[in-house]
Amino acid sequence: MSTQMQKAREGKLTDETKLVAAREHKTPEEIRELIAAGRVVLCANVNHQTLKPCAVGEGLSVKVNANIGTSSTFPDPAPELLKLEEAIKCGADAVMDLSTGDNIDESRRQIIGHSSVMVGTVPIYQATVRAIKEHGAVVEMTDDDMLHSIEEQAKDGADFMTMHCGVTRAAIGKMRTQGRKMDIVSRGGSFIAGWMLHNEQENPFYTRYDDILDICEKYDVTISLGDGMRPGCLHDATDRAQITELITLGELVDRAWARGVQVMVEGPGHVPYDQIAANMKLEKRLCHNAPFYVLGPLVTDVAPGYDHITSAIGGTLAAISGADFLCYVTPSEHLALPTIEDVHTGVIASRIAAHAADIVRGVPGAMDWDNKMAEARKNLDWDEQLRLSIDPELARRVRGERNPAEEGACSMCGDYCAVEIVNKYFDGAKCPFED
């Protein structure tokens, strides 16, 4: 069975390619060429039967991912299915199952089985939880244990997988030499680094990369090269460890493409605003324009409870500067496992960032949405304004609760509405100031 990239290189227009083309207002041939070149990924595991195909990359609308999944504190998968439904309802293009609770297999299979959007996973989480249960420690897992988790999740239908292949001995050495305030904050990166340091060996995700490619080619899993050395605070951004890892990821992109395996690259993280554009351009340069998937980026470290805002600020600039895929950040980031309400808020915030970038990137149809809203506001057409809102339920609730009348101006301006005044005295009247 061939991957989407292999078929694209053979000149084949798959059903998935045609569906993506219609969604993106492009021709199937344009999408095929981008997939063949590696500048777009179409994440569609052959075993994900409920998937509505979606693509990420150059020239396409910016996509948004929502992280869900159980934890050791909250191991029940049922609430995660409700979060999945909420994320899809709010317009997320993907979800990632980050489960680390007791029911990892069941959580993943239920999420994939119920998801119409692409699903990502992080195999090292499952390998780690299993190693602790069976051997008593993370460092006791074997490289075969890690590959077994990849194969298992691929069989279940995961469309893309985060794998921390670039956490090498060289990257860890650079981190120790330069020094960091927060060392490694990536959960997967910390598992791998701990294993490497204890066992005094190179990262199995790096040394056995060809075996990983075998699995991903078989099921057409898109590799999402994880940024295990990403900065966890502004102080650590764009340092030697981060860039060393990124150089390695660029080399691994080449190796995946040589096999016809789809791949995207993950990026930071916590980044000062003035470094964001440079980070995006650096990834595109080192990774030959492979799609870039970023967490945030968060532009300040001091806003727990509001990090959906700090990430939306950074995400807009990141996407304008080249990022293709935004991982949402919820108000619970750095504080707790997100609730359904947090998922809702996080998705909407990231969608706002993505849409703002789509306008600047010239994505077909993006500006049309805003133009229609402007027309509805000029006409004081509240039904149309609410329908066009990125979060219609919230807009409808606020409008209904705080306005005594259904029509006319809102309660902010009341009798002194600028739109009403201009509509009354400007539209249709002869202007004495015209030549």
Side-chain angles (χ1 to χ4, degrees):
M1 187 172 294
S2 301
T3 67
Q4 291 288 338
M5 173 176 266
Q6 290 166 345
K7 291 173 184 175
R9 289 175 174 174
E10 293 166 3
K12 296 178 180 177
L13 295 176
T14 65
D15 291 339
E16 294 84 1
T17 299
K18 294 173 183 176
L19 289 169
V20 165
R23 172 178 176 175
E24 299 289 345
H25 306 288
K26 291 185 175 293
T27 67
E29 180 61 22
E30 287 175 318
I31 299 297
R32 184 199 67 76
E33 290 178 355
L34 289 166
I35 294 172
R39 299 199 299 273
V40 162
V41 292
L42 200 166
C43 306
N45 186 308
V46 296
N47 288 340
H48 189 176
Q49 303 301 318
T50 57
L51 177 68
K52 294 179 181 177
C54 179
V56 176
E58 182 181 306
L60 309 185
S61 59
V62 177
K63 303 306 185 298
V64 169
N65 171 73
N67 288 339
I68 59 175
T70 64
S71 70
S72 56
T73 307
F74 297 100
D76 184 6
E80 303 314 307
L81 292 178
L82 296 177
K83 293 176 189 177
L84 168 67
E85 293 176 3
E86 186 65 24
I88 295 174
K89 176 183 173 184
C90 292
D93 302 289
V95 296
M96 287 199 75
D97 175 20
L98 307 186
S99 292
T100 54
D102 292 331
N103 304 306
I104 291 180
D105 288 328
E106 185 62 23
S107 297
R108 177 177 65 257
R109 289 165 187 159
Q110 286 197 35
I111 288 170
I112 293 173
H114 285 83
S115 180
S116 58
V117 301
M118 53 186 176
V119 177
T121 60
V122 189
I124 190 62
Y125 291 179
Q126 182 170 19
T128 297
V129 171
R130 186 174 288 158
I132 292 173
K133 286 183 178 179
E134 295 179 359
H135 308 299
V138 174
V139 295
E140 298 301 324
M141 64 182 164
T142 67
D143 52 355
D144 285 333
D145 292 336
M146 299 179 200
L147 263 70
H148 176 70
S149 292
I150 296 171
E151 178 98 38
E152 198 171 10
Q153 297 187 6
K155 285 182 179 178
D156 286 342
D159 300 297
F160 64 98
M161 293 185 193
T162 293
M163 288 182 265
H164 303 84
C165 306
V167 181
T168 59
R169 297 172 73 167
I172 294 174
K174 298 291 185 187
M175 182 189 74
R176 284 189 154 177
T177 300
Q178 182 172 7
R180 276 185 167 186
K181 284 189 179 294
M182 291 201 65
D183 299 324
I184 297 175
V185 299
S186 161
R187 187 159 51 179
S190 70
F191 293 157
I192 290 292
W195 186 95
M196 291 167 62
L197 292 168
H198 177 83
N199 292 285
E200 298 183 355
Q201 294 184 37
E202 185 56 277
N203 179 358
F205 281 97
Y206 179 73
T207 59
R208 298 193 63 179
Y209 190 62
D210 285 332
D211 295 324
I212 292 172
L213 291 175
D214 287 340
I215 298 170
C216 293
E217 181 182 11
K218 181 178 179 181
Y219 298 96
D220 199 1
V221 174
T222 297
I223 297 177
S224 189
L225 290 168
D227 53 339
M229 306 301 292
R230 70 174 179 265
C233 62
L234 300 189
H235 175 274
D236 297 341
T238 326
D239 68 354
R240 297 169 194 161
Q242 178 193 331
I243 303 307
T244 298
E245 179 184 39
L246 183 59
I247 292 170
T248 301
L249 298 186
E251 296 167 354
L252 296 177
V253 165
D254 293 343
R255 289 172 60 184
W257 285 351
R259 289 283 300 274
V261 173
Q262 299 188 95
V263 61
M264 57 185 168
V265 178
E266 297 185 14
H270 292 243
V271 183
Y273 193 80
D274 63 338
Q275 295 180 28
I276 291 174
N279 270 260
M280 303 305 110
K281 289 177 171 58
L282 194 59
E283 184 275 345
K284 290 293 181 176
R285 172 66 175 167
L286 294 176
C287 301
H288 306 308
N289 294 307
F292 201 18
Y293 175 27
V294 298
L295 176 65
L298 287 77
V299 295
T300 179
D301 300 329
V302 299
Y306 297 92
D307 278 326
H308 58 301
I309 297 174
T310 67
S311 72
I313 293 169
T316 303
L317 179 56
I320 289 171
S321 305
D324 308 290
F325 195 11
L326 303 181
C327 184
Y328 85 167
V329 175
T330 77
S332 292
E333 186 79 7
H334 303 111
L335 298 173
L337 192 73
T339 63
I340 292 178
E341 292 74 19
D342 291 331
V343 169
H344 179 106
T345 301
V347 170
I348 296 298
S350 284
R351 283 191 61 210
I352 293 169
H355 176 65
D358 283 345
I359 294 170
V360 178
R361 287 161 63 118
V363 172
M367 191 64 188
D368 292 344
W369 186 5
D370 291 74
N371 288 338
K372 290 176 182 177
M373 177 63 87
E375 292 170 5
R377 284 180 173 156
K378 175 177 173 55
N379 296 327
L380 293 175
D381 184 343
W382 290 103
D383 288 339
E384 184 68 356
Q385 289 183 59
L386 299 177
R387 186 188 70 80
L388 289 167
S389 298
I390 200 166
D391 189 352
E393 289 187 6
L394 175 62
R396 189 169 288 109
R397 185 173 71 251
V398 172
R399 170 70 184 167
E401 291 175 351
R402 304 181 197 174
N403 290 277
E406 292 186 3
E407 303 298 330
C410 73
S411 57
M412 176 70 180
C413 294
D415 295 335
Y416 309 102
C417 173
V419 175
E420 283 191 332
I421 292 169
V422 172
N423 285 348
K424 179 178 180 180
Y425 293 105
F426 186 84
D427 286 1
K430 178 175 174 54
C431 180
F433 314 119
E434 292 178 344
D435 293 335

